[in-house]
Amino acid sequence: MIVVVRSLTKVYPGDMVALDSVDLTIQQNDFLALVGPSGSGKTTLLNILGGLDRDYRGSVKVDGVELKEMKDKALSKYRNTKVGFVFQSFHLLPDSTLIDNVSLPSLFDKARRHQEIKQKAIEVLSMVGLENLALSYPTRLSAGERQRVAIARAIFNNPSLLLCDEPTGNLDKNTAKTIIGIFERLNEDGVALVIATHSEFVAQRAKRVVYLEKGKVIGEEKRGEP
Amino acid sequence: MNFAGFRRQVIKNITRSKYRLVSGAFGLALGSATLSFFLALSLGVRDKVLGRIYPSNQIEFEVEKVPLFGLGIRVLKRIDEPVLNAIKSLEGVRGVYPKQASKFPAKLWGGREIFGYRANLEAFFDGIQEDLVLDELRSEEETSLGQENLQIPCSNDSDCPRGGKCKDAFCVRYTYYDKFRNLDITIPCLKDSDCVEGERCINQRCVRDCRNCGSNEVCIKGECLRRCEHASDCARFQECKSFPQGSACVPIACSIRDPAAQFSDEPPISSPPCPSGTYCAVLSVLSKEGFCEEPIPVLLSPFILDVYNSVAATAYGLPRLSGPEVGIGLSFSILFGESYFVEDESAFKRFVKRARVVGFSSKALDFGVTMPLKVVQRLNAFYRGKESAEEFTSVVVETTKADVVPKLIQDLKVLGLVPTAKSEERKKAMAALAVLTVVFIALSVFILVISSLNIFHTFMTLVHERRHEIAIYRAVGATLLDIKGLLLAEAGAVGLMGGAFGVFVGFLLSRLFIFAIQNTIDGTLSQSFDVFVFDFLVVSVGILASLLFALLGALLPSSVAAKTDPVKVLAQSQG
């Protein structure tokens, strides 16, 4: 999957410019870190890339298809199958078990059978090392474990692009290392990663770093394999 | 959306919000209970009460009477065979059933087995075609009497002859229908004009004219009789007798020792040489000679029972009768040609017959006794001449559908016929019922509207509480329709459960109502009395109304949920 962003501008009500003529290309297997201070437009860019926000100027094309021109059904399918979100606050459902949280995307996917869904949920939980807690509830987990559940949910439908908003922001350094390790494995498996972060540690592990400030791309840095 | 997952999610949502949803469903159940209760009551009153008295597709007509300014009335037309044929040819007419009132005096007595003493009354009669009461008698018999297998294979009622019903793949016919039929009783006569068309007077009794003999009949001494080989080919009161022309069924001749015995309280129904269930009917009060006959089968109106219970039983300290079934089988004597009010006929024109009540029908005469039409016609011909037997008092017209009745009334007006007072009462009763039904349904709908508002409030609260969850659903691929669907399915389930519970409560209330009525009306009501119809329609309407109002209530909240902006909500909760 290739995402091409051209002259992307996002203005919030009150003329607050969140993104200003951003140009960006995300290739398959990319591992991109968006670095910038709070309010630089990182989260806004992720929301637009993930199809959650279509109110923008400019162009965001995924495999040649303009996101804002997609109908709700097609865009929902894009979010369901092509993209995975990982949020800083995890956004898990507190009264659902890990297995139900992880398999949530399957609820909106007609093709899956119950047994198949369950097996896949166990599989992705084991990828993040939480298969033993499959029937637990998120409230009983540590922050690191919750973030691993959020990652498992994001990769449940084998997305091509993983959008992560400050995934280690609420975690200690060791846990952050574990999480980044998981991301690296996913990237090796062919998943493109876009991670918005303040963390220098995370940025160092990315293949590419894009610096944002006041909604503008102020620089880009390519790095070797971590 | 994945159906199994969707179903699980809906159940999960209902389970976790159960207390809120139960309070929402309570109103729906109340509305549904009220709706089903009143709907079942309205249908019951229409079908079981008014429908019996005034069937919606049967309307009775009589000749139009023009008042002559205090000088009586003038009748413009008469109902006779050509008029009946004209009615039959009208569009939408399924059946035409003439009625004829008696035009002769009569007295009756009997009832010792019920009242404990002999009751003497002036008697009034009318005659109706047996087919008119076929279905009505049949439905009453199903609960209490036996049935006859017609040996005709069937898959449904329409495969069976009229009056038959398909049961266990064979047509059956219930017994009392067969008993309300013309029995060819002996009618005396002096001349041919004393007999109806198709009969002539031979040996002082009306017999079938040989000109009308069929292939299975034989003409014996000017009388057309049915051929037979054995006695079993003939009716109970006949014998198979050999003649040079062949064997034929003839009435068994009999005589009585004392003509005065006919006037006893309870003349024996079985008297030798007449077979069991028949009696010796002599030709006049002075005669000793006659023929064996079965009692004339008659119908009574349930109205008579009501009058008896409410007036006569109280006035004379007699036992109250619990239901029509008590009166079935009651036999009594009729003295034709005598009256308490008018001059008696000559002795030759006075004779006694026995009669037996074979059923109760709302189509029977309210104050009198209803006989098979042919019997009344033959009696009228004897007392008032052949012509009088050919003129009918009224005609019941059965239509294919209830909605053709207005046009039928217009068409028959041209023929000089107007609906009887009873038919006008029907219109008023139906209109009153329709108004009451609308009022009660409006009340139920009002309750449902209020409960729909409650559902709206409940779901708006739920949407607000679940906005974070809804935003996550959107982020992982839920469409607008998925979000709406989840909420509406939840509301639908609440509506269905509330509706089903409501209908159940409505049904229980109806049982309570019937129980209370049966215990209030002094035990005179039949145990099978039920004025409610809880059929598929009522149950469906009760449940579907609840479903509909639940969905209406949740419609706006589901749209609000679908419009949840995931970016905003997730950003807020990221906080």
Side-chain angles (χ1 to χ4, degrees), chain A residues 17-33:
Chain A
V17 179
L19 293 172
D20 188 0
S21 300
V22 171
D23 291 321
L24 189 70
T25 301
I26 302 159
Q27 302 283 355
Q28 208 164 351
N29 276 19
D30 227 339
F31 186 167
L32 178 73

Side-chain angles (χ1 to χ4, degrees), chain B residues 284-508:
Chain B
S284 77
V285 289
L286 302 176
S287 175
K288 290 182 180 177
E289 305 301 318
F291 296 95
C292 297
E293 275 182 19
E294 284 187 48
I296 302 169
V298 298
L299 299 176
L300 296 179
S301 165
F303 183 64
I304 287 181
L305 196 68
D306 292 340
V307 171
Y308 170 78
N309 276 331
S310 57
V311 181
T314 312
Y316 303 119
L318 297 172
R320 292 188 173 196
L321 304 179
S322 58
E325 54 275 8
V326 176
I328 292 175
L330 170 74
S331 61
F332 53 89
S333 300
I334 304 168
L335 172 56
F336 293 102
E338 273 194 27
S339 167
Y340 292 110
F341 305 126
V342 295
E343 202 177 323
D344 296 342
E345 297 281 344
S346 64
F348 176 73
K349 286 205 161 188
R350 302 204 312 265
F351 57 95
V352 176
K353 295 277 183 194
R354 296 286 287 163
R356 180 159 51 207
V357 178
V358 296
F360 280 74
S361 166
S362 57
K363 296 181 193 77
L365 201 58
D366 281 344
F367 282 104
V369 176
T370 295
M371 294 178 172
L373 179 65
K374 192 77 180 178
V375 175
V376 173
Q377 280 184 294
R378 294 177 76 210
L379 287 166
N380 279 338
F382 176 54
Y383 285 105
R384 301 289 174 256
K386 185 181 282 195
E387 284 282 306
S388 71
E390 289 164 7
E391 184 177 345
F392 301 101
T393 323
S394 63
V395 56
V396 175
V397 182
E398 187 181 31
T399 57
T400 48
K401 283 183 287 183
D403 55 9
V404 301
V405 170
K407 188 173 180 302
L408 182 74
I409 291 173
Q410 280 184 346
D411 291 345
L412 291 195
K413 178 96 179 161
V414 177
L415 291 171
L417 303 181
V418 290
T420 58
K422 205 170 178 181
S423 296
E424 286 300 316
E425 282 170 24
R426 168 189 171 272
K427 263 165 73 180
K428 288 176 192 164
M430 288 292 182
L433 178 66
V435 169
L436 282 176
T437 307
V438 167
V439 168
F440 287 132
I441 287 178
L443 174 73
S444 314
V445 170
F446 178 72
I447 296 171
L448 285 167
V449 168
I450 299 293
S451 54
S452 186
L453 290 173
N454 189 25
I455 288 285
F456 165 78
H457 182 257
T458 303
F459 274 80
M460 281 305 273
T461 311
L462 287 178
V463 167
H464 182 74
E465 282 176 3
R466 295 182 194 166
R467 65 192 187 286
H468 175 239
E469 178 181 316
I470 292 165
I472 296 171
Y473 288 166
R474 289 288 281 156
V476 298
T479 63
L480 296 172
L481 224 57
D482 290 337
I483 302 295
K484 266 191 185 181
L486 273 172
L487 265 291
L488 289 177
E490 206 173 324
V494 170
L496 285 176
M497 287 189 280
F501 184 70
V503 170
F504 178 66
V505 169
F507 178 74
L508 287 184

Side-chain angles (χ1 to χ4, degrees), chain B residues 210 217-223 227 241-248:
Chain B
C210 282
E217 290 168 326
V218 60
C219 187
I220 311 285
K221 295 176 190 168
E223 181 180 358
R227 286 183 189 278
K241 204 169 176 180
S242 296
F243 296 97
Q245 298 94 324
S247 297

